[in-house]
């Protein structure tokens, strides 16, 4: 491992940070000595009302994670070079882990058949988002699919998980804190891949703005449902939606 990766030129930098080695060095810092993504595995189960709400929330997280697992796996095929393929393979591994730990938490909450439970509780707008993302991957539209997955979906998850973490039981919070570390890496990838090119390419910017216009209402609708299930007061929700909009807006895609 190079001591100071920021001293490398751009190509060498990506050769270093988009490797399984770099991924392993990163995740080891927060997953070492954990089981199913938690340091102190307790099977703490919240009271009945909160348990129901938590099950619905986790079922929706499973939809988002399945979307990211399938999309990042599909993006490996269309990625333009080896370094990007390797990074997306590490992301697919992260997303598979997220799905696995959510399933484990659901089992602790008494859900023994998540495959049956998830469709009953999944948000229609989130399912629609998942379909749209996978269509972009199927159409081999690299820029739009990276934007939809690594910027839009990741920003939504980042805001939702962060909010949830601050108002839940210790077991769920511990699991979410470690997932967030992965999601931050995925957003960074999306911003790096698109940021500089968007700056120099108004046509790309206009095209991604149209993608955003289609996806934002779906994200905001599922976001409202998640915040409601988490018991976030109506008055606090616009502020959190603004966090999401600002995170996506950092790239200048309005
Ligand atoms: Fe994830
Ligand atoms: Fe992710």
């Amino acid at each position: 491992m190079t001591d100071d990766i920021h001293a490398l030129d751009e190509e060498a930098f990506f050769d270093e940070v988009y490797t399984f080695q770099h991924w392993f060095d990163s995740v080891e810092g927060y997953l070492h000595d954990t089981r199913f993504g938690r340091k102190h595995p307790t099977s703490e189960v919240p009271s009945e009302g909160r348990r129901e709400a938590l099950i619905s929330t986790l079922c929706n997280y499973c939809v988002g994670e399945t979307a990211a697992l399938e999309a990042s796996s599909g993006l490996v095929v269309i990625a333009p070079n080896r370094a990007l393929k390797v990074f997306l393979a590490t992301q697919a591994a992260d997303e598979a882990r997220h799905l696995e730990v959510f399933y484990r938490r659901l089992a602790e909450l008494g859900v023994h058949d998540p495959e049956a439970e998830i469709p009953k509780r999944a948000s229609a707008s989130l399912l629609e988002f998942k379909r749209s993302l996978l269509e972009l991957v199927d159409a081999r539209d690299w820029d739009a699919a990276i934007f939809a997955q690594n910027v839009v979906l990741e920003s939504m998850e980042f805001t939702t998980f962060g909010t949830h973490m601050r108002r839940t039981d210790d077991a769920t919070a511990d699991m979410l804190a470690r997932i967030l570390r992965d999601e931050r890496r995925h957003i960074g990838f999306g911003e790096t891949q698109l940021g500089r090119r968007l700056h120099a390419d108004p046509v790309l910017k206009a095209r991604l703005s149209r993608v955003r216009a289609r996806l934002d209402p779906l994200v905001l609708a599922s976001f409202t449902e998640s915040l409601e299930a988490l018991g976030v007061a109506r008055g606090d929700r616009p502020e959190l939606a603004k966090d999401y909009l600002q995170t996506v807006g950092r790239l200048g895609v309005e």
Side-chain angles (χ1 to χ4, degrees):
M1 179 86 189
T2 311
D3 286 342
D4 182 8
I5 54 173
H6 298 287
L8 299 170
D9 68 32
E10 189 177 294
E11 200 177 330
F13 176 81
F14 290 138
D15 258 357
E16 192 69 44
V17 297
Y18 294 164
T19 58
F20 258 92
Q21 186 59 56
H22 184 72
W23 172 82
F24 185 71
D25 292 339
S26 306
V27 299
E28 204 189 14
Y30 53 92
L31 292 182
H32 179 72
D33 237 1
T34 58
R35 267 192 71 70
F36 291 99
R38 277 144 55 185
K39 199 79 175 175
H40 306 290
T42 61
S43 44
E44 188 185 347
V45 172
S47 62
E48 190 52 28
R50 293 182 70 101
R51 174 184 160 276
E52 266 302 302
L54 181 57
I55 290 172
S56 291
T57 302
L58 293 177
C59 283
N60 277 294
Y61 291 172
C62 288
V63 174
E65 297 301 337
T66 304
L69 171 59
E70 292 178 10
S72 48
S73 307
L75 282 162
V76 170
V77 179
I78 61 171
N81 62 49
R82 180 197 51 88
L84 300 180
K85 286 177 191 293
V86 171
F87 177 86
L88 284 158
T90 67
Q91 180 170 350
D94 290 331
E95 309 299 6
R97 182 183 86 76
H98 302 166
L99 193 58
E100 177 175 280
V101 301
F102 287 142
Y103 266 48
R104 181 54 64 121
R105 187 74 184 118
L106 281 168
E108 288 171 354
L109 297 171
V111 177
H112 297 296
D113 187 2
E115 310 284 341
E117 199 65 28
I118 291 167
K120 286 188 222 156
R121 297 183 185 242
S123 140
S125 44
L126 191 56
L127 289 171
E128 178 61 31
F129 178 91
K130 178 176 179 241
R131 262 191 301 276
S132 302
L133 169 61
L134 294 176
E135 272 169 22
L136 293 172
V137 177
D138 284 347
R140 303 178 76 90
D141 189 340
W142 168 257
D143 292 321
I146 287 291
F147 178 69
Q149 172 177 268
N150 287 64
V151 179
V152 175
L153 175 60
E154 296 287 354
S155 298
M156 169 174 62
E157 289 182 332
F158 196 76
T159 309
T160 310
F161 295 171
T163 306
H164 189 178
M165 212 177 82
R166 292 189 293 274
R167 50 179 68 230
T168 191
D169 61 88
D170 290 347
T172 305
D174 188 22
M175 174 184 78
L176 288 171
R178 290 167 217 283
I179 290 176
L180 268 177
R181 303 283 293 267
D182 296 334
E183 308 299 21
R184 185 175 294 131
R185 196 168 49 246
H186 305 159
I187 296 181
F189 175 80
E191 290 186 337
T192 306
Q193 281 312 304
L194 294 171
R196 197 168 313 156
R197 289 184 37 232
L198 274 167
H199 199 66
D201 187 347
V203 176
L204 176 62
K205 200 184 224 178
R207 197 162 75 77
L208 294 189
S209 290
R210 289 194 294 276
V211 174
R212 180 176 180 181
R214 194 152 47 82
L215 298 180
D216 263 355
L218 301 174
V219 170
L220 290 170
S222 75
F223 199 55
T224 305
E225 290 171 41
S226 304
L227 297 180
E228 196 165 352
L230 294 175
V232 175
R234 204 173 283 270
D236 294 338
R237 291 180 206 161
E239 203 48 42
L240 291 164
K242 207 166 89 191
D243 275 3
Y244 156 76
L245 293 168
Q246 273 172 351
T247 310
V248 180
R250 281 204 299 253
L251 278 176
V253 176
E254 302 297 345

